[in-house]
Amino acid sequence: MGLMLVMLCFGSSGLLAQENNLPIMMVSGEVVTRTDAFGIEQPVIVGNVRNNGNDAYTNITILGEVYDAQGEVIGEAYGYIVNACGAALLESAMQPGQTQAFEAIVELYEEDSNIATLGVTAAGTSIAPEVSVDESEFSHVTQISSDEVVSVQWNADGTLAYGVGCDSRIFTTYAWYQYDPATATTTPIDSPRGDQITEAFIERTAITQSTFGGEIDPNLLLRSFLSFAPDGTRLVYQTDIHELFTVAESGYSRRSVHVYLNRYSLQGINWTPDNNFVAYYFGAYGEPVQYLTANANGDLLSNVLTENVPSVTIPGSTYDGRRVIIGGTFPDETGRDMTGYFFNPARGRSAPELLYPVEALPGNNYPAPAYYRKDEDTRYIYVVRPEDEQAILECFHYEAQRVSTLTPLPLQLASDERAWTWVAPDGATLAIAANGRHGGLWLVDLTQFGACQ
């Protein structure tokens, strides 16, 4: 079945054909072929639409027809607006000025039909738009992107690369950009080190090969959480049965980190500047977070997964991976339960050390605490959490045993959305990224606050 990559615009403005006069314009659209869970190829219309009206719209559905070269209708399509991972946003409101991806599955009347052009209509319910966030409330916070940013890499020259895409897929699937704070310019770039994920690398690691049957499944690469050590030449990834490995960039020298993880759902891998990492696991929002720490060479630094104290929050880590920063409720020296953030030894069974108490902890969709070691005697921990339904940024100075609230933040996270943080190598800037309906990338100038300097 041959398919052409097509975008059909209705009129010079590109306005979608409307049945209910929705001011939603198709920004882009094409027909691609996907293989479903049963191995059947399925044509799908994918693209982006933009709300050019003054109202918000919810319950949006995408309806379409596909035509052959003679203009005859040869099939129809039905779909929704979706997030970066392709999940339908059934109840999400599309705000004025917002651009959102959509997908619509095509049903052809005859299997061997060739699609030449397509037509799309949108239907939905008008509602009042949400109140815009007042950016003046946020001190020294600059928004860089409003896309679903899921990865950030700081460069030695002060620039940063950021990836837009689905957080559960590997970095080579992201759309990458470089941002220069000195000139406030953003430039599209190729995936950093993406050219090293070659066919030879994939074959040597057997990353796409089923452990028991030996079948090749390219989707295993997408779900592998493959990522490079930030200042090294080794990578970490999981197999189809969730066994965790590290490997050299050549694809050789594969080393097992942890086995018997098939019951656990890997949600992310966070690296430290010393090429150690935290791998964290949970099934759904609200569940306890289990984790392990290891290094790029494949050495497990923590206890095995089931022997580590679970965390309410995503765990952070010291640079050496020997201690993790967790959230939970644990007894203090007097036996009284305290809720807050704790240092916990990655290995052994010592009691967690209270860093500072809070009235309520965030869920596992908030960023891990970001650890920054200024020097051997100065350590800061940056925490993003909600307080009175407002996300805030705090800094805990470990040596001074003092916590300071730095600024409110523009994060608006639903339970199915995620956020992450990365401290710049010089400690001057904190990058905060989020996916979902209010996704984006923000930079916080940490030098403008009196605390943690």
Side-chain angles (χ1 to χ4, degrees), residues 277-294:
F277 65 87
V278 181
Y280 54 94
Y281 299 75
F282 59 88
Y285 175 77
E287 291 187 359
V289 181
Q290 295 181 285
Y291 53 87
L292 60 88
T293 66

Side-chain angles (χ1 to χ4, degrees), residues 10 44 128 152 260 331 404-405 423:
F10 296 85
V44 181
V152 168
Y260 306 123
S404 304
T405 299
V423 184

Side-chain angles (χ1 to χ4, degrees), residues 297-420:
N297 290 325
D299 302 313
L300 186 64
L301 302 175
S302 69
N303 303 318
V304 295
L305 190 80
T306 54
E307 294 298 315
N308 291 319
V309 176
S311 176
V312 172
T313 58
I314 303 300
S317 175
T318 55
Y319 288 177
D320 61 8
R322 302 290 180 179
R323 287 198 289 178
V324 289
I325 306 157
I326 63 175
T329 301
F330 304 99
D332 62 12
E333 306 83 20
T334 67
R336 182 181 60 167
D337 282 346
M338 298 290 290
T339 297
Y341 292 94
F342 294 79
F343 258 149
N344 192 57
R347 178 161 292 181
R349 297 180 181 276
S350 300
E353 173 195 350
L354 178 66
L355 297 174
Y356 68 98
V358 296
E359 290 188 2
L361 290 162
N364 55 24
N365 58 337
Y366 265 71
Y371 176 88
Y372 178 69
R373 186 179 65 205
K374 183 178 180 180
D375 52 49
E376 293 301 321
D377 301 313
T378 312
R379 289 162 288 182
Y380 304 138
I381 299 171
Y382 294 97
V383 171
V384 177
R385 67 180 186 89
E387 185 174 74
D388 297 327
E389 299 184 355
Q390 170 67 59
I392 61 171
L393 174 63
E394 296 177 327
C395 180
F396 180 72
H397 183 179
Y398 180 73
E399 283 71 24
Q401 291 290 291
R402 182 174 61 247
V403 61
S404 304
T405 299
L406 303 185
T407 179
L409 293 171
L411 282 183
Q412 301 178 69
L413 292 177
S415 61
D416 60 343
E417 298 168 345
R418 297 276 303 280
W420 303 263

